[in-house]
Amino acid sequence: MAGSAAAAWPREPSLTKSGPDAFRRHAFVRVTNDAFRHAVVESGDPDVLRDWVKCARPLIVRRPCLSDDGREVFLGVSLPGRRRLACRIPVDAVVEVAPPPVWHGDAFQVPGFPLRVFGSHAWQALTGLEYVTPASDLDLLLGISTQAEWEALLARGITLPVHPRIDLEVVFGGDASFHWREFLSPSADILIKSNRNIWLQGKDRLAELLA
């Protein structure tokens, strides 16, 4: 699915625009066709944002996701050729929020754990533009909601292939995330990225993030 330019905007339950599921990192949003008029472009070309929005292409939620007053959502666009655009748009201009597409490919699976795809494969699937190259990594998300799920994942002893290179990001409770490749490293601490913050956490204390 994720490698196909014909794949459509995911038709599954959208994330809510309020509460714990609102505007998570990696979520994709659709905005009104005049949203660019109310946007604050922090990096990139405003004309590119205008054309992107008018083509009804998605934007992605980026940290810190929401402004302190809850009125603006922080968004980004990844363009072919590794160009990026960052902006803020009023929450009222958001039409729909959806999680990253479900991964159905056979390059990598974790039995019992649904995976979602982000990065170049997701952008290509959702826009029809050319993002994926022979050097592209496959970026996948694996969600963990409970201690039992975490223990089951650990019991699988997952290793990541090099070809294709898989970057597996584990997300606890839809918020705190870390890279599995870093988890397998000998370091005692690991970098945690949440919807608003970044910090180091002891690997032996990761379960606390599920409390």
Side-chain angles (χ1 to χ4, degrees):
M1 186 280 320
S4 170
W9 177 249
R11 291 302 169 191
E12 56 183 303
S14 296
L15 300 178
T16 62
K17 288 173 61 176
S18 62
D21 286 331
F23 301 118
R24 294 176 176 176
R25 287 176 61 241
H26 301 308
F28 286 94
V29 305
R30 299 283 190 185
V31 299
T32 59
N33 59 13
D34 65 345
F36 66 92
R37 301 183 187 277
H38 313 288
V40 176
V41 177
E42 298 175 344
S43 66
D45 186 343
D47 289 340
V48 170
L49 177 64
R50 177 200 62 203
D51 295 342
W52 188 268
V53 169
K54 285 187 173 182
C55 289
R57 292 173 179 148
L59 295 88
I60 196 167
V61 179
R62 61 184 177 89
R63 190 184 300 105
C65 302
L66 278 180
S67 59
D68 290 339
D69 61 10
R71 295 180 179 178
E72 290 183 310
V73 57
F74 290 75
L75 301 174
V77 174
S78 179
L79 301 158
R82 295 184 176 272
R83 295 175 296 144
R84 298 183 185 276
L85 183 149
C87 66
R88 307 193 312 271
I89 287 178
V91 168
D92 291 344
V94 174
V95 174
E96 185 177 7
V97 187
V102 175
W103 169 249
H104 294 297
D106 57 6
F108 183 78
Q109 293 287 342
V110 182
F113 292 90
L115 300 174
R116 293 185 180 274
V117 62
F118 65 107
S120 58
H121 287 77
W123 283 107
Q124 180 163 305
L126 294 175
T127 67
L129 302 176
E130 294 294 328
Y131 286 84
V132 179
T133 72
S136 295
D137 296 342
L138 176 57
D139 301 302
L140 298 173
L141 296 171
L142 187 155
I144 296 291
S145 299
T146 66
Q147 176 71 30
E149 289 178 351
W150 175 231
E151 292 174 355
L153 183 66
L154 290 175
R156 289 200 173 276
I158 298 169
T159 58
L160 298 177
V162 177
H163 302 291
R165 179 182 167 88
I166 306 293
D167 280 339
L168 179 65
E169 187 170 330
V170 179
V171 186
F172 277 9
D175 187 11
S177 69
F178 57 90
H179 288 280
W180 187 253
R181 199 177 298 276
E182 293 181 18
F183 177 75
L184 297 178
S185 73
S187 172
D189 296 327
I190 193 167
L191 184 68
I192 303 296
K193 299 178 180 179
S194 77
N195 292 323
R196 295 191 68 86
N197 300 302
I198 300 176
W199 69 93
L200 285 175
Q201 181 95 357
K203 291 178 180 176
D204 59 348
R205 296 177 53 219
L206 284 175
E208 296 176 11
L209 300 176
L210 290 167

